[in-house]
Amino acid sequence: MSVLVFVEHHGNELQTGSLGVLAKAATLGDVSAVLIGGGVKALAPAAARYGAAKVHIAEDDSLEPPLPQPRVDVLAKIVEDGGYDTVLFANSVLAADIAAGLAARLDAGLNWDLIDVESRDGTLVGKRPALQDSVLIDVGWKATPRLGLFRAGSFDATPKETGQAEIVDVSADYEEHSRSAKVVDREQEQSSGPSIEDADVIVAGGRGLGAPENFTLAEELARALGGAVGATRAVVDAGWYPYSAQIGQTGKVVSPKLYVALGISGAIQHKVGMQSSENIVAINKDANAPIFEFSDLGVVGDLNKILPKLTEAVKAKKGS
Amino acid sequence: MKIAVCVKHVPEGQSRLDPASKRLDRSGEGALNHFDANAVEEALRLKGESDTEVVVVSLGPAKAADSLRKALAMGADRAVLVSDDGAVGSDLVATSKALAKALERESADLVLFGQQASDGDGAVLWAAVAERLHRPVVSQVTELTLQDGSLRVKRQTEFGYDVIEAPLPAVIAVSDAINEPRYPSLKGIMGAKKKPFETLSLADIGVDAGEAGEAGSKTEVLALGEPPSRGDARKIEDDGSAAQQIFDFLAEKRLV
Ligand SMILES: Cc1cc2nc3c(=O)[nH]c(=O)nc-3n(C[C@H](O)[C@H](O)[C@H](O)COP(=O)(O)OP(=O)(O)OC[C@H]3O[C@@H](n4cnc5c(N)ncnc54)[C@H](O)[C@@H]3O)c2cc1C
Ligand SMILES: Nc1ncnc2c1ncn2[C@@H]1O[C@H](COP(=O)(O)O)[C@@H](O)[C@H]1O
């Protein structure tokens, strides 16, 4: 098996998710990494420590903005020239769009949301939770190249002390449509206030809070419990709460002692950020909401009725 | 201007995989994927009072007509359903090929997608379709503005927000926070019945049998298993005592 792993970077840091996939891939066979952007050559030694025997470098400042389509051009060239039979990605907003674009370009099969992969007598088999994680399925590829996209946090990776990799420069020709989108502005996260990653208790609010001002309900309960406030992407994107509080695939991953989910449906992308919490309590008025599948205590009801009473009870206990 | 919106008809309620075919059981009731209502709404918002045409496009079983009708009732102008037994079991490669073919016939200035299909949770199809159409693509879009021949969007990534500009024609996938989809009015529902509705086979859009369905797919489901269980999940209905019950739970776990 000859495996290529797309290693994502931000600034001059390689993303831990892709390094985990790289380390996993190194257990399957020969593994190469690909780094694309400005200043990436300097990051190659780090990729080598996670198991890459070869690092393909597409060093180009104009490729630094995180856009998927020029990266499809680069990957397609490497796969075709290098004869790779497997290309793996750690999920991210960027990586998912690259993987799907590459699948179309190469007419290749893409299995997504994988949490593991193994070689069974030389055949690659992926493990994937499906239908809101209600079943775990084994998935395969009927042809090569095989493309796989791993769920965030699938593998932990520890670097080796040393690692040597052969460096190969790549230059690709770009399709016209690949280079027509331009990033014109980037608003980076400014973290403000105490970090939710360190909190023992998180009270998180979703769209079910109904309006931005109702976040005070979550804040009051959080204060009474001595915890922090979290949010779903839906409410962050809608401008109800700051991005620094977002939990999930594109936000923070947390594992507090207590996670209270208020008006949150429990989409997979939210779940991956909070499922390892010790105790999960959810209030949702929809009895079929997926959040109930992974809550220790699920309450079907209207948060507007339940929360004030709950906050009072917690405060009363504290005062006693 | 013309805007095409890709919408999916998804099973309603608790979905299951059929142990025999290892595919999603689509025999029960279905509905418009709720994430796609945001894409339809965005198209209608962009249309406003202009003479823009909004066409909704779906690949799916005959029953997917219900979801397209719902989009028409919301205000879309025309519907195209690609429905063919040969498309059953299509994976990403096969679905993107058929959808791209259907979209090529429309040559819309803007193709909109929802944020994800609630049954498959792929959140990937647009990138494959855009590649086949040779168009720029941006996903997870929370704000979209059109200005003579190009668009400007804002989207969230793991590191904050990017503002991206791209020329039309383009492919955009919108986030579920971009807008609040309208409910179809009674007038809209009545009017939808009279709007143009085209049903096409794979042959009609120029897709060969070998390129669709299982034959055209490059991935397969090998086996179904059980997920690890999360222990003793408890679910209660609020009868007025829920606050007390939550409090008791917290006390029992020594969290208060
Ligand atoms: C690539 C990608 C990345 C993503 N990353 C993230 C991420 O990092 N984090 C994240 O959270 N999401 C993420 N998402 C989005 C995710 O798929 C969901 O869209 C989002 O989590 C939904 O947020 P929500 O639960 O607040 O809203 P909804 O899904 O709209 O749920 C609101 C819930 O509130 C309930 N409700 C309404 N009123 C009441 C009431 N009065 N009382 C009680 N309950 C009520 C409703 O029944 C419903 O279940 C991502 C999606 C994609 C495609
Ligand atoms: N069969 C289909 N027909 C038309 N559009 C679809 C279909 N499947 C998915 N889509 C669109 O693609 C988006 C993402 O789907 P997915 O990548 O499958 O999660 C959905 O929100 C829809 O806009």
Side-chain angles (χ1 to χ4, degrees):
Chain A
M1 217 167 288
S2 64
V3 187
L4 181 68
V5 176
F6 171 73
V7 177
E8 188 169 345
H9 71 284
H10 182 66
N12 47 25
E13 250 178 75
L14 297 181
Q15 295 306 295
T16 48
S18 1
L19 294 173
V21 172
L22 187 59
K24 174 71 193 184
T27 68
L28 297 170
D30 280 345
V31 60
S32 302
V34 50
L35 293 169
I36 304 170
V40 290
K41 203 162 219 166
L43 307 177
R49 283 201 298 280
Y50 286 85
K54 191 189 272 184
V55 183
H56 296 275
I57 301 282
E59 170 88 48
D60 181 345
D61 285 343
S62 74
L63 287 179
E64 187 57 17
L67 294 169
Q69 290 168 306
R71 288 171 169 76
V72 171
D73 294 326
V74 173
L75 280 159
K77 169 129 176 75
I78 298 172
V79 171
E80 277 159 5
D81 291 356
Y84 289 100
D85 55 40
T86 307
V87 190
L88 303 177
F89 302 81
N91 196 12
S92 72
V93 168
L94 177 64
D97 285 353
I98 302 171
L102 188 65
R105 176 77 62 89
L106 302 176
D107 246 325
L110 170 65
N111 280 306
W112 60 79
D113 218 12
L114 300 174
I115 55 167
D116 203 0
V117 73
E118 63 189 33
S119 170
R120 282 189 205 151
D121 316 318
T123 315
L124 201 64
V125 177
K127 295 270 178 202
R128 178 189 162 202
L131 301 181
Q132 310 293 341
D133 294 359
S134 62
V135 298
L136 186 62
I137 58 181
D138 285 354
V139 293
W141 291 259
K142 296 200 280 188
T144 55
R146 319 172 186 96
L147 311 188
L149 186 59
F150 287 90
R151 189 179 270 198
S154 291
F155 309 107
D156 288 327
T158 31
K160 293 181 289 186
E161 292 283 309
T162 56
Q164 279 295 318
E166 179 194 345
I167 308 290
V168 188
D169 291 306
V170 255
S171 62
D173 293 328
Y174 299 100
E175 302 276 333
E176 202 186 316
H177 70 273
S178 298
R179 308 224 48 179
S180 58
K182 302 264 184 275
V183 175
V184 294
D185 196 13
R186 299 191 77 181
E187 294 167 23
Q188 305 287 315
E189 176 195 4
Q190 337 82 331
S191 359
S192 56
S195 164
I196 50 172
E197 281 145 305
D198 304 325
D200 277 342
V201 174
I202 294 176
V203 178
R207 203 152 33 185
L209 282 174
E213 53 277 16
N214 290 346
F215 254 94
T216 52
L217 290 172
E219 283 166 345
E220 278 160 18
L221 178 60
R223 202 171 308 129
L225 288 166
V229 174
T232 63
R233 193 188 74 172
V235 295
V236 169
D237 267 354
W240 296 10
Y241 222 69
Y243 174 69
S244 55
Q246 184 177 315
I247 291 164
Q249 182 181 315
T250 15
K252 302 215 161 67
V253 176
V254 298
S255 46
K257 291 201 177 81
L258 173 64
Y259 192 91
V260 184
L262 305 173
I264 294 178
S265 59
I268 295 298
Q269 292 86 350
H270 184 73
K271 180 183 177 184
V272 295
M274 46 66 77
Q275 63 188 343
S276 57
S277 304
E278 264 174 60
N279 295 283
I280 299 172
V281 175
I283 305 176
N284 193 307
K285 68 177 184 191
D286 174 8
N288 293 319
I291 189 95
F292 291 129
E293 303 295 323
F294 50 95
S295 297
D296 301 282
L297 178 62
V299 177
V300 182
D302 184 349
L303 59 89
N304 296 301
K305 296 204 181 109
I306 300 167
L307 267 184
K309 284 194 260 177
L310 176 59
T311 305
E312 269 324 301
V314 175
K315 277 193 195 154
K317 165 83 179 182
K318 285 263 160 88
S320 66
Chain B
M1 190 166 125
K2 190 198 261 192
I3 304 176
V5 187
C6 295
V7 302
K8 190 176 190 185
H9 185 72
V10 296
E12 234 173 352
Q14 194 66 48
S15 327
R16 62 180 280 277
L17 293 173
D18 172 32
S21 69
K22 302 194 190 71
R23 284 200 297 260
L24 189 61
D25 180 357
R26 298 190 187 274
S27 60
E29 287 297 299
L32 174 66
N33 172 32
H34 72 90
F35 294 106
D36 296 344
N38 294 104
V40 174
E41 178 64 37
E42 196 58 17
L44 297 174
R45 187 189 70 78
L46 291 167
K47 172 184 166 113
E49 301 303 311
S50 72
D51 61 1
T52 295
E53 182 184 35
V54 175
V55 50
V56 282
V57 180
S58 191
L59 172 72
K63 279 184 291 186
D66 296 347
S67 290
L68 286 168
R69 286 246 153 65
K70 166 136 192 231
L72 292 175
M74 285 174 73
D77 301 299
R78 191 159 64 78
V80 175
L81 172 60
V82 179
S83 196
D84 195 310
D85 288 346
V88 173
S90 297
D91 72 350
L92 175 74
V93 166
T95 303
S96 64
K97 193 169 285 170
L99 210 48
K101 285 280 190 191
L103 289 165
E104 264 167 30
R105 295 170 82 245
E106 298 295 335
S107 53
D109 304 283
L110 178 62
V111 179
L112 293 179
F113 283 79
Q115 139 188 323
Q116 65 203 106
S118 63
D119 54 356
D121 272 322
V124 287
L125 186 59
W126 50 76
V129 170
E131 171 60 31
R132 295 193 189 279
L133 295 174
H134 300 283
R135 303 243 176 118
V137 62
V138 190
S139 61
Q140 325 303 333
V141 165
T142 61
E143 277 175 39
L144 196 171
T145 43
L146 288 175
Q147 51 208 27
D148 21 87
S150 71
L151 50 79
R152 186 183 170 93
V153 301
K154 187 172 166 186
R155 67 135 186 217
Q156 195 193 93
T157 70
E158 290 76 9
F159 312 105
Y161 288 88
D162 292 339
V163 179
I164 297 174
E165 287 179 355
L168 294 177
V171 176
I172 296 292
V174 302
S175 135
D176 62 346
I178 195 168
N179 55 38
E180 206 48 66
R182 69 193 68 185
Y183 289 101
S185 64
L186 193 59
K187 190 163 153 261
I189 295 168
M190 299 312 290
K193 297 186 177 133
K194 292 185 226 94
K195 288 182 175 170
F197 194 114
E198 212 177 350
T199 306
L200 302 170
S201 68
L202 289 172
D204 291 337
I205 56 169
V207 174
D208 295 339
E211 296 177 309
E214 273 181 16
S217 295
K218 303 286 170 69
T219 56
E220 58 189 338
V221 177
L222 302 169
L224 310 185
E226 292 293 322
S229 87
R230 226 200 101 90
D232 49 354
R234 224 185 329 145
K235 188 155 99 178
I236 58 168
E237 199 84 44
D238 180 26
D239 56 3
S241 69
Q244 187 59 43
Q245 294 195 57
I246 297 173
F247 182 81
D248 292 345
F249 173 86
L250 299 181
E252 178 197 321
K253 300 279 180 185
R254 302 185 175 280
L255 294 162
V256 281

